[in-house]
Amino acid sequence: MIKRFALLAAFLATLVPATAQDLPEGFVYLREIDPSIAQDIRYASSHNFIGRPVNGYEAGECILLRSAAEALSEAQAQLRQLGLSLKVYDCYRPHRAVEDFTAWSKTPEDGVTKNEFYASYEKSNLFKAGWLASRSNHSLGFAVDLGMIEAGSPEAERPMGNTYGPCSADKADRAPDNSLDFGTAYDCFHENSYTAASDIPPQAKDNRGLLKSVMESVGFENYRREWWHFSLKDAPSRREPYDFPVGPYAGGSGETGENAPANVATGPTVRVVCVPEDNMLNVRDAPDTEANVVSRLPAGQDGVPLIGCNREVGLGAWHELSRASGVIDDAPWCTVALPDNPETTGFVSGAYIFPSSGGAARCE
């Protein structure tokens, strides 16, 4: 555009937050397509490698091209059958954010985030080393950074000002995250972040393999140096990056990112299984068979909101493996909300609940 009023309008548009009504054509908020996908948009927070919210992130929201968002929803449907969920860390990225990374890399090292995110590098070398780039598919709307969580598990708290261990350390020694173990944390500038890295736990390798397989099945391809980064293969040919800000979702609650409340109305649900028809499933006030019973759910009850479980294993996968082996005494404890009173929660054994969309449970 070269006309003065058009230029002025474009400039003013960068000064107001993006909403569901003013996204460029073809873009959508992910929560419009699939609100069950967890969002932990790190660049809208201070827990990232530059230690503060990144320019252009005015809200912790995932925005993508519709084709990419719909493909993610297809992947989510596959994982839901295993009691798992996708969790996105970054989606569309304004070009001004990429420029912010460049400017940050040229400032003197202050050591605030180095030990956690890039201990083996100098910040001035992160572009040369290939961890950062001056252009990104994220700015075209078809790339996403993501992992997997136990469906319904609450986001881990990361208080501002805390310091954490290296992102390449064992999961227990890294910053809190409800993600499954992938061998490193998200945005870890370390060779163990390479998708095919060998020096990571076997379970982490399996988690990477599952994520890669599911994402490839819906049309994404992985970037070999980052287990979390995927780009849609059948993407538009546009090369000029977008630079509109990531603004709050107009149709949402107004609370986004790290402060967004759990929404049991749109989250995963389970049904009561493996309980005789004339019996009830006890809901207790603690994850213990001796704990007080606060309520009971009838056999076959469906649509029970799942808040989370205490182990990194999908309910569907646990039922399949444990029932097949005959070992059912290691079931996870899960927190559920009562269907008729969602504000009341309690604990149930994972041996007696199964994802609502997960097909038939094995109970023999």
Side-chain angles (χ1 to χ4, degrees):
M1 296 182 181
I2 59 174
K3 293 184 178 180
R4 181 177 303 174
F5 291 119
L7 288 172
L8 177 60
F11 172 73
L12 292 175
T14 67
L15 300 182
V16 297
T19 69
Q21 286 72 44
D22 62 17
L23 295 181
E25 182 177 0
F27 281 85
V28 295
Y29 283 85
L30 178 61
R31 66 177 67 253
E32 291 182 345
I33 304 300
D34 196 329
S36 73
I37 297 176
Q39 300 190 31
D40 181 13
I41 308 301
R42 294 292 178 84
Y43 298 152
S45 74
S46 295
H47 188 242
N48 56 59
F49 66 89
I50 70 173
R52 57 165 172 76
V54 179
N55 288 351
Y57 287 83
E58 299 172 356
E61 289 287 342
C62 174
I63 297 172
L64 288 168
L65 289 174
R66 177 175 290 275
S67 56
E70 291 177 344
L72 283 189
S73 187
E74 293 178 22
Q76 178 77 341
Q78 293 185 41
L79 292 176
R80 189 179 295 120
Q81 297 183 35
L82 301 176
L84 301 175
S85 169
L86 292 174
K87 170 180 171 175
V88 293
Y89 293 107
D90 191 34
C91 300
Y92 158 72
R93 180 184 305 166
H95 185 63
R96 71 190 71 179
V98 178
E99 294 177 331
D100 197 12
F101 295 161
T102 301
W104 167 82
S105 72
K106 295 178 181 179
T107 60
E109 179 61 70
D110 57 16
V112 172
T113 61
K114 179 177 175 60
N115 182 62
E116 181 178 357
F117 291 97
Y118 56 100
S120 301
Y121 297 89
E122 297 301 321
K123 65 190 296 188
S124 59
N125 291 330
L126 290 175
F127 278 87
K128 183 178 180 180
W131 292 110
L132 299 176
S134 58
R135 296 179 69 89
S136 172
N137 285 344
H138 283 281
S139 299
L140 297 174
F142 60 82
V144 62
D145 294 342
L146 78 178
M148 299 183 301
I149 63 172
E150 178 86 28
S153 62
E155 182 56 63
E157 294 185 5
R158 294 181 296 271
M160 291 183 61
N162 280 22
T163 56
Y164 303 104
C167 57
S168 58
D170 291 341
K171 191 173 191 298
D173 299 322
R174 304 195 300 256
D177 191 344
N178 65 337
S179 174
L180 303 186
D181 187 11
F182 285 90
T184 73
Y186 165 62
D187 251 5
C188 185
F189 302 154
H190 188 279
E191 61 185 12
N192 280 354
S193 291
Y194 290 16
T195 306
S198 58
D199 190 22
I200 60 174
Q203 185 61 58
K205 292 180 183 178
D206 290 345
N207 290 336
R208 291 187 185 189
L210 175 59
L211 179 64
K212 186 171 183 287
S213 175
V214 170
M215 291 295 287
E216 288 177 345
S217 75
V218 298
F220 284 90
E221 59 184 351
N222 174 245
Y223 174 45
R224 66 178 183 83
R225 292 187 57 163
E226 297 175 351
W227 60 258
W228 57 81
H229 181 95
F230 292 84
S231 296
L232 193 65
K233 288 188 289 186
D234 186 17
S237 58
R238 176 188 171 106
R239 296 185 57 83
E240 187 65 23
Y242 290 91
D243 194 36
F244 63 91
V246 177
Y249 175 49
S253 66
E255 296 183 59
T256 56
E258 294 177 340
N259 297 319
N263 188 346
V264 297
T266 58
T269 62
V270 294
R271 66 179 183 274
V272 178
V273 298
C274 307
V275 173
E277 291 184 1
D278 59 349
N279 211 331
M280 306 276 281
L281 173 62
N282 290 328
V283 181
R284 302 180 182 275
D285 63 1
D288 190 309
T289 56
E290 301 299 320
N292 295 327
V293 175
V294 296
S295 186
R296 291 181 172 86
L297 298 172
Q301 170 77 61
D302 203 355
V304 180
L306 176 67
I307 297 174
C309 299
N310 66 352
R311 284 178 40 206
E312 292 184 348
V313 58
L315 287 173
W318 180 88
H319 273 265
E320 183 66 25
L321 296 174
S322 299
R323 298 290 179 179
S325 65
V327 179
I328 61 172
D329 59 355
D330 65 340
W333 280 93
C334 301
T335 307
V336 299
L338 301 185
D340 57 351
N341 184 13
E343 293 185 358
T344 300
T345 62
F347 297 87
V348 298
S349 170
Y352 301 103
I353 56 175
F354 196 78
S356 292
S357 59
R362 294 187 58 169
C363 297
E364 68 276 8

